[in-house]
Amino acid sequence: MSNALPSGQRAIVDFPRFGLPAFAPRWPEVPGRPVLRLGGDAAEPGEVWLEDLSTLPRCEEAADFHCVTTWSRRGLVWSGFRLHDFFERFVVPRAPPRANARCLMFKGLDGYRSGLPFADALAADVLLADRLEGEPLSVEHGAPIRVVAPAHYGYKSVKHLCAVELWTSSRPGSAGWMEHPRGRVALEERGQVLPGWVLRHLYRAMLAPTRWYFHRHAGGWRSAAGGSLGRRT
Ligand SMILES: Nc1nc2c(c(=O)[nH]1)N[C@H]1C(S)=C(S)[C@@H](COP(=O)(O)O)O[C@H]1N2
Ligand SMILES: [Mo]
């Protein structure tokens, strides 16, 4: 967390549920005993119960969160497990990667997907977070567990993680061609076709309508989880 925000970003004080508009109405039902499926074209298929992650060292991380549409929420405190530790302890033994594996693809319970090359995904600051600000992660922000890649635009931080796949090359995520294969905030890698400083203006125009649309679908987890008995965390 440095004092100056990265190029083109502006601080906001709240932390909205946000994403591609198509996902605003998609509230996943969080299973009672969640599992992470492993696979892809560069690994054997396998799986890991989410509860098994508690055998990994827990770590806490304070980080700014940068959405590609130019909003930044400063100083969020996440708690969870390093993706690198998860990879070494669970992915390597249970879904042995082939020698030509280059990228990870993350998939959420709502069908959202986004990937990162190994060099980015296995960096020390990339977490699988199950807590935010000392509380269990809410459905709004990605229960039961989400990726947090603070050096990358928010679209890489996949919520409701249910699958981690290994691939031999970068694959488009849910944002398709709009997504950058790496999405590093410091290099303003907002997208791949136009430069970041151009996209910054286009995306800024989408911010208010997208916020409104997500707000309209707020609280939808209740119906997804089965009425008032649905679980919040
Ligand atoms: N499963 C899932 N993960 C997702 C998204 C989504 O729609 N579904 N949106 C992405 C985008 S574009 C952003 S900016 C962040 C927003 O995270 P938040 O809703 O916790 O603010 O989640 C990212 N991860
Ligand atoms: Mo975003």
Side-chain angles (χ1 to χ4, degrees):
M1 271 188 292
S2 69
N3 257 345
L5 280 173
S7 302
Q9 296 298 113
R10 291 175 181 173
I12 60 169
V13 290
D14 59 338
F15 183 38
R17 173 176 180 258
F18 203 85
L20 288 174
F23 290 85
R26 295 195 205 169
W27 287 86
E29 192 169 342
V30 178
R33 197 181 176 207
V35 69
L36 297 177
R37 280 174 289 104
L38 309 174
D41 76 347
E44 300 299 322
E47 58 183 33
V48 183
W49 293 108
L50 204 60
E51 66 212 35
D52 293 345
L53 269 63
S54 60
T55 60
L56 295 170
R58 180 167 280 279
C59 61
E60 200 171 81
E61 185 170 277
D64 297 344
F65 190 95
H66 307 291
C67 172
V68 74
T69 63
T70 72
W71 63 263
S72 291
R73 173 58 161 82
R74 311 205 72 165
L76 292 172
V77 180
W78 303 96
S79 171
F81 313 97
R82 286 191 207 292
L83 184 65
H84 182 268
D85 292 345
F86 169 77
F87 188 84
E88 294 295 325
R89 178 87 71 84
F90 293 108
V91 179
V92 172
R94 297 198 191 179
R98 295 193 227 293
N100 56 359
R102 296 285 177 274
C103 298
L104 287 177
M105 175 63 86
F106 307 109
K107 193 175 168 194
L109 290 165
D110 57 354
Y112 183 89
R113 49 171 64 227
S114 187
L116 281 171
F118 279 177
D120 299 69
L122 302 179
D125 63 348
V126 180
L127 299 189
L128 297 182
D130 62 350
R131 300 183 70 83
L132 171 61
E133 303 291 331
E135 302 284 340
L137 204 56
S138 62
V139 185
E140 284 84 351
H141 291 300
I145 201 162
R146 76 178 297 170
V147 177
V148 175
H152 298 78
Y153 286 113
Y155 59 74
K156 300 291 187 183
S157 291
V158 174
K159 298 186 278 190
H160 324 292
L161 189 66
C162 67
V164 177
E165 298 171 348
L166 276 60
W167 294 91
T168 54
S169 58
S170 290
R171 300 166 69 80
S174 294
W177 60 270
M178 287 166 72
E179 215 176 301
H180 190 283
R182 301 192 72 177
R184 289 168 295 180
V185 179
L187 299 178
E188 216 176 339
E189 292 171 336
R190 293 182 196 272
Q192 16 184 5
V193 183
L194 294 168
W197 60 268
V198 174
L199 288 174
R200 148 187 346 164
H201 298 287
L202 300 177
Y203 280 135
R204 203 167 272 156
M206 289 161 56
L207 207 170
T210 308
R211 267 186 86 126
W212 170 82
Y213 193 63
F214 269 80
H215 185 72
R216 222 186 94 185
H217 289 280
W221 59 270
R222 289 187 195 88
S223 47
S228 57
L229 293 175
R231 29 189 298 154
R232 208 196 156 94
T233 53

